[in-house]
Amino acid sequence: MSVDPDLTGAAGTALPVALDAAGGDHGAPPNVEGAVQAARAGVSVLLVGDQVRLHAELGRHEGSASLPLEVVHADDVIGMDEHATDVRSRAQASINVCTRLVREGRASAAVSMGHSGATMASALLTLGRLKGVDRPAILTHLPARGGFTTMLDVGANADVRAVYLAQWAQLATVYLRVLEGREQPTVGLLSIGEEDHKGSALVLETHALLRALHGRGINFHGNIEGRDIFLGTTDIVVTDGFTGNVCLKLAEGEAKVMFGWVRDAIQSSVRGKLGGLLVRPALRGLADRMDPSTYGASILIGVRGLAFIGHGSADARAVKNALLRAARAHEAGLIPRLQAALDAGPVAQPGA
């Protein structure tokens, strides 16, 4: 079976991935196109949404009838401007159908480019938490020197406790070990200074807890500052969801502004335009590294099942890569391996 070059190591899986094909800013078209691309790379996909519209969209893609794609009807979708709590009363919403398919063992993972809050709520309500986890976190990858830096939480929990961050450090360590082959990933605690005594009360408490857990399932580097995220100082960065989300949006915004500056500089003169022709291949490669669609979606780590959350503006490439990443996580047995690590301890138990 051939492997898609965007995510080396992804391949088919016995169970299909459930895709919220109605979710996102652009609805079915990029979701279906991405699913077709993933299916051609060997991943089976359940397209969840309005069956009439999805079949019509599939008909636009030549050869899709022979691919491992199946439509599962859902007559409701939670819009981007609606409340996440709506998942409680709208059982037939596409994201709820996706997470139920995972719970029932009919799908390996749920992937959505739709309402992130609704996806988190549905995953929690339907799948529950892994034993030993107080709160799940959104784990994402940010481009950094030498590759990428893994950061969590980037938006699931604005108000946190030190024990949550310690649990997330352990979950992220297992995640990188299982999916990225990093045997002893380093963990950095985001703070306003490298010194142990700097930071908020939360940072100081978390630092002491992570220091005590160093060598016991966590390879704690110490405090890091914002600049270290992109320098790749540590493999993992843990922080609260409020700070993490600000960092993520700041990085995405700054990348767009910087490329705008480069484009303006190149187009400002004849010499610049000539130079632009020479550097175009390098700039294209740089843009690709910084494109969120390269990683596809972020995992909601800590729930008792695989759930991935993507950008509402995701294009087909992002959808495809999210599906490939989800399939690879299932094939690697990520959920049972996370639970095994938590059962082994020694991170504090929920409510401690």
Side-chain angles (χ1 to χ4, degrees):
M1 181 179 296
S2 62
V3 178
D4 192 280
D6 281 341
L7 280 177
T8 304
T13 178
L15 280 177
V17 178
L19 173 64
D20 178 8
D25 295 339
H26 309 297
N31 283 308
V32 172
E33 183 180 351
V36 168
Q37 293 176 9
R40 286 175 176 155
V43 175
S44 300
V45 183
L46 298 176
L47 291 158
V48 180
D50 181 84
Q51 59 184 355
V52 174
R53 185 173 184 186
L54 292 179
H55 279 301
E57 196 63 39
L58 279 170
R60 301 175 185 272
H61 298 275
E62 185 177 354
S64 62
S66 63
L67 294 172
L69 297 167
E70 180 183 344
V71 172
V72 177
H73 182 65
D75 55 18
D76 188 15
V77 58
I78 296 177
M80 303 295 277
D81 59 345
E82 296 184 282
H83 294 291
T85 53
D86 286 355
V87 298
R88 293 180 177 273
S89 59
R90 295 163 64 178
Q92 295 308 308
S94 53
I95 184 57
N96 279 332
V97 175
C98 286
T99 54
R100 280 202 303 273
L101 288 168
V102 176
R103 185 187 64 191
E104 294 167 1
R106 296 166 59 193
S108 60
V111 174
S112 178
M113 304 295 163
H115 195 306
S116 58
T119 303
M120 288 186 286
S122 181
L124 267 173
L125 288 169
T126 307
L127 304 175
R129 296 169 296 173
L130 290 171
K131 182 182 178 182
V133 173
D134 279 273
R135 301 279 182 85
I138 299 176
L139 178 153
T140 197
H141 298 308
L142 294 173
R145 187 169 64 187
F148 63 86
T149 297
T150 298
M151 174 180 272
L152 70 171
D153 180 21
V154 294
N157 306 274
D159 299 307
V160 304
R161 298 171 57 193
V163 67
Y164 302 172
L165 275 71
Q167 292 168 3
W168 299 340
Q170 186 175 21
L171 292 171
T173 295
V174 176
Y175 176 91
L176 287 184
R177 186 180 300 138
V178 170
L179 292 186
E180 303 297 339
R182 299 189 185 185
E183 286 303 316
Q184 293 294 327
T186 52
V187 175
L189 175 62
L190 190 61
S191 185
I192 58 172
E194 298 178 357
E195 297 84 356
D196 294 359
H197 63 274
K198 285 190 175 180
S200 64
L202 171 66
V203 168
L204 294 174
E205 184 180 355
T206 304
H207 186 281
L209 183 53
L210 290 174
R211 182 65 69 194
L213 294 170
H214 177 66
R216 303 165 62 199
I218 295 173
N219 183 13
F220 184 49
H221 169 88
N223 288 353
I224 65 164
E225 299 180 73
R227 63 187 175 212
D228 292 303
I229 298 171
F230 304 103
L231 290 175
T233 302
T234 60
D235 298 297
I236 298 164
V237 176
V238 291
T239 187
D240 63 273
F242 183 92
T243 304
N245 190 265
V246 170
C247 289
L248 176 64
K249 300 295 175 58
L250 175 63
E252 292 173 351
E254 182 67 7
K256 290 181 181 179
V257 171
M258 287 181 65
F259 274 105
W261 288 343
V262 171
R263 183 179 59 251
D264 292 344
I266 288 174
Q267 295 176 350
S268 64
S269 66
V270 174
R271 180 178 295 179
K273 291 177 181 178
L274 291 173
L277 293 174
L278 296 176
V279 300
R280 182 179 295 173
L283 290 176
R284 187 177 294 116
L286 179 59
D288 185 67
R289 282 190 62 191
M290 300 182 73
D291 186 352
S293 67
T294 300
Y295 301 106
S298 302
I299 186 172
L300 180 64
I301 197 164
V303 292
R304 199 166 57 245
L306 293 171
F308 288 80
I309 302 169
H311 281 269
S313 60
D315 58 12
R317 181 169 179 258
V319 174
K320 174 196 66 175
N321 282 341
L323 293 167
L324 293 175
R325 188 169 295 278
R328 190 170 71 181
H330 173 66
E331 288 185 335
L334 178 62
I335 296 299
R337 293 173 78 169
L338 287 171
Q339 188 62 73
L342 290 164
D343 290 343
V347 176
Q349 295 301 304

